[in-house]
């Protein structure tokens, strides 16, 4: 099971003939039959859209907010499929949800971010899915814990689900940010590296939290070779009962899809491939040099740690640190590097240096400093 070897890629889930990324779109929540049908009719006119998403049971942070219309919404989705030919996708959080979705012929199930964070719930869903042949999408957990995400995917796989993919919807930010959820692309790249045959879709709507960033995030996802997008679209976004700020009209979505650049990932020509390889080679070599230099720097840090210890000097010398920041950011600027980037990098290196020196201080017995009681 380690590599999820037998996972089936999304373009073999249904009889479509597409080598383009999968576009899933639809409202955050089904609210009324008219809203669902009007949205679906407009989305169905956009040829790239193959799947209609809709929340039926909504996980809300506080009780009393709109918690979804429940089972009656599944009838509307059945009608969407019959009338427009779009496939339908719904979030499930309880085994009963799965049963209801299967009764109404829903085509794809997804596990929401809050559910993925809870292995008990994921296991209950996995158990309910044993023997069922339906595509399942696993959203990342709200917290940036790759193992938890992988764990949920593995539970589905172990239950026999082979039409399996991940959805990247960003991670809860602990700092103030303009985005609702931090993308942390490095985690997604690591997931792809761990399971190269796992398809990953990006949900730019929940990352953005706001209409204005959706296009930019979608482009980034495509540039990183994600396998598709899940985008919230509502016939009248401002009146939406959930996630109003991040939903866009089908018309806006059509415009956005036209503006996105879909680049080639596979099947590149030999020439393009070789130029890419050359650049990569250079990057590899520079990365190796950076790491070697960092190792040398750490050796010196160890020496200075021993020296400070022998002479009872504190590890953190504030003035020295300030001067490092100043001189390096000036140098960085003259080299055309972003100041914020240089400072973040230095902070990381500095933190590691301090840790290294603390370890040395702890390991050298002679280095006890002075005792307050004496
Ligand atoms: C949703 O897709 O509407 C949703 C609730 O998403 P998430 O689980 O990513 O918060
Ligand atoms: Mn939503």
């Amino acid at each position: 099971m380690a590599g999820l070897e037998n996972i089936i890629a999304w373009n073999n889930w249904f009889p479509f003939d597409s080598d383009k990324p999968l576009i899933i779109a639809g409202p955050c929540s089904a609210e009324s039959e008219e809203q669902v049908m009007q949205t679906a009719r407009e989305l169905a006119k956009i040829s790239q859209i193959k799947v209609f998403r809709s929340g039926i049971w909504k996980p809300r942070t506080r009780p009393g907010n709109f918690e979804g219309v429940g089972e009656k919404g599944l009838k509307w989705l059945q009608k969407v499929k019959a009338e427009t030919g779009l496939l339908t996708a719904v979030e499930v959080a309880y085994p009963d949800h799965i049963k209801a979705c299967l009764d109404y012929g829903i085509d794809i199930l997804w596990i929401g971010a809050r559910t993925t964070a809870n292995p008990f719930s994921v296991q209950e869903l996995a158990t309910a899915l044993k023997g069922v042949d339906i595509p399942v999408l696993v959203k990342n957990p709200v917290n940036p814990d790759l193992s938890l995400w992988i764990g949920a995917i593995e539970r589905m796989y172990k239950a026999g689900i082979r039409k399996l993919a991940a959805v990247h919807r960003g991670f809860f930010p602990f700092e103030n940010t303009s985005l609702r959820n931090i993308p942390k692309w490095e985690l997604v790249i690591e997931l792809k590296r761990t399971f190269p045959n796992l398809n990953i879709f990006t949900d730019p709507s929940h990352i953005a939290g706001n209409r204005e960033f959706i296009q930019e995030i979608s482009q980034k996802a495509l540039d990183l070779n994600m396998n598709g997008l899940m985008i919230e679209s509502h016939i009248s976004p401002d009146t939406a009962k959930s996630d109003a700020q991040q939903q866009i009209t089908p018309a806006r979505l059509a415009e956005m899809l036209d503006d996105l650049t879909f680049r080639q990932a596979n099947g590149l020509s030999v020439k393009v491939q070789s130029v890419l390889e050359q650049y990569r080679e250079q990057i590899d070599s520079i990365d190796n040099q950076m790491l070697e230099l960092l190792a040398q720097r750490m050796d010196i840090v160890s020496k200075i740690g021993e020296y400070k210890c022998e002479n009872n000097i504190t590890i953190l010398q504030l003035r020295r640190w300030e001067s490092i920041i100043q001189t390096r950011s000036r140098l960085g600027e003259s080299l055309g590097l972003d100041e914020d980037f240089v400072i973040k990098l230095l902070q990381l290196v500095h933190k590691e240096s301090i840790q290294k020196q603390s370890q040395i201080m702890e390991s050298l017995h002679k280095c006890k400093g002075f005792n307050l009681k004496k």
Side-chain angles (χ1 to χ4, degrees):
M1 186 187 91
L4 312 183
E5 284 83 6
N6 299 319
I7 275 192
I8 301 171
W10 76 264
N11 49 8
N12 292 317
W13 293 352
F14 302 101
F16 326 127
D17 180 22
S18 176
D19 54 358
K20 301 241 174 62
L22 175 64
I23 311 294
I24 302 170
C28 178
S29 308
E31 298 164 9
S32 67
E33 183 169 345
E34 299 73 61
Q35 168 252 3
V36 166
M37 291 314 299
Q38 283 174 12
T39 309
R41 282 181 198 127
E42 291 307 308
L43 292 175
K45 293 181 189 158
I46 307 171
S47 63
Q48 297 100 313
I49 297 173
K50 301 280 186 259
V51 181
F52 184 80
R53 63 145 281 155
S54 179
I56 294 291
W57 303 277
K58 297 305 294 179
R60 305 319 303 270
T61 306
R62 299 186 64 183
N65 291 339
F66 175 64
E67 288 181 339
V69 291
E71 247 183 85
K72 69 175 177 216
L74 294 173
K75 276 201 202 106
W76 308 335
L77 294 185
Q78 222 174 16
K79 194 167 163 194
V80 165
K81 186 172 173 172
E83 194 185 305
T84 68
L86 288 167
L87 297 167
T88 51
V90 167
E91 172 176 351
V92 291
Y94 294 123
D96 280 355
H97 295 167
I98 296 178
K99 192 180 169 304
C101 285
L102 295 175
D103 288 347
Y104 284 90
I106 298 301
D107 300 287
I108 299 175
L109 306 178
W110 88 79
I111 297 178
R114 289 158 196 78
T115 307
T116 305
N118 179 355
F120 285 132
S121 300
V122 173
Q123 189 51 53
E124 262 195 341
L125 296 177
T127 306
L129 282 166
K130 272 204 175 122
V132 179
D133 178 25
I134 189 165
V136 176
L137 314 179
V138 180
K139 284 195 162 195
N140 66 257
V142 264
N143 49 326
D145 181 342
L146 183 56
S147 308
L148 202 51
W149 195 3
I150 290 179
I153 294 167
E154 285 174 335
R155 283 180 203 277
M156 292 299 137
Y157 190 83
K158 267 183 98 162
I161 297 293
R162 293 293 176 266
K163 295 172 185 160
L164 190 54
V167 179
H168 165 225
R169 49 78 78 199
F171 301 89
F172 183 77
F174 290 98
E175 291 151 24
N176 242 346
T177 64
S178 48
L179 298 176
R180 179 177 177 191
N181 289 293
I182 305 280
K184 286 191 170 292
W185 296 102
E186 68 280 12
L187 282 188
V188 186
I189 292 169
E190 184 55 21
L191 179 65
K192 189 79 194 161
R193 205 185 58 76
T194 314
F195 302 119
N197 58 345
L198 176 71
N199 285 167
I200 308 177
F201 307 123
T202 291
D203 168 346
S205 308
H206 287 87
I207 294 176
N210 189 315
R211 274 161 228 159
E212 71 180 294
F213 302 116
I214 294 176
Q215 179 156 353
E216 187 184 322
I217 298 163
S218 301
Q219 186 64 60
K220 173 98 181 171
L222 295 176
D223 292 347
L224 287 174
N225 204 14
M226 294 294 123
N227 301 96
L229 301 170
M230 182 194 264
I231 301 176
E232 286 188 341
S233 177
H234 189 291
I235 195 72
S236 158
D238 287 332
T239 64
K241 292 187 172 164
S242 59
D243 290 350
Q245 282 178 350
Q246 71 194 32
Q247 300 206 60
I248 55 177
T249 60
R252 170 69 198 118
L253 178 54
E255 213 173 70
M256 196 191 94
L257 290 172
D258 276 345
D259 286 346
L260 289 174
T261 307
F262 293 81
R263 299 179 216 280
Q264 270 176 292
N266 302 311
L268 299 179
S269 74
V270 176
K271 179 159 177 288
V272 172
Q273 194 71 45
S274 80
V275 173
L276 271 183
E277 282 308 323
Q278 286 167 22
Y279 282 130
R280 286 180 179 150
E281 201 97 33
Q282 289 174 18
I283 289 176
D284 290 352
S285 153
I286 293 172
D287 283 354
N288 291 346
Q289 293 172 57
M290 280 196 317
L291 291 175
E292 273 162 21
L293 281 172
L294 275 176
Q296 282 176 30
R297 191 187 195 279
M298 286 304 161
D299 278 344
I300 299 175
V301 164
S302 304
K303 288 190 188 130
I304 207 174
E306 285 173 31
Y307 188 74
K308 281 180 183 166
C309 171
E310 277 158 16
N311 293 282
N312 264 342
I313 303 169
T314 57
I315 296 177
L316 178 66
Q317 300 283 314
L318 213 51
R319 227 175 298 137
R320 164 72 180 151
W321 171 230
E322 275 164 6
S323 113
I324 289 186
I325 291 274
Q326 268 176 17
T327 54
R328 292 356 174 227
S329 44
R330 234 178 288 138
L331 174 62
E333 202 190 348
S334 73
L335 294 169
L337 292 170
D338 180 74
E339 186 182 357
D340 196 39
F341 166 66
V342 172
I343 291 177
K344 274 194 195 134
L345 185 66
L346 286 171
Q347 280 168 336
L348 208 61
V349 171
H350 189 242
K351 190 172 158 205
E352 179 68 16
S353 305
I354 289 197
Q355 206 168 322
K356 184 119 197 152
Q357 292 184 46
S358 307
Q359 280 165 2
I360 288 171
M361 292 238 168
E362 266 166 32
S363 67
L364 292 177
H365 294 299
K366 58 187 172 194
C367 175
K368 292 234 166 63
F370 51 81
N371 190 326
L372 273 181
K373 284 187 198 148
K374 280 185 190 159

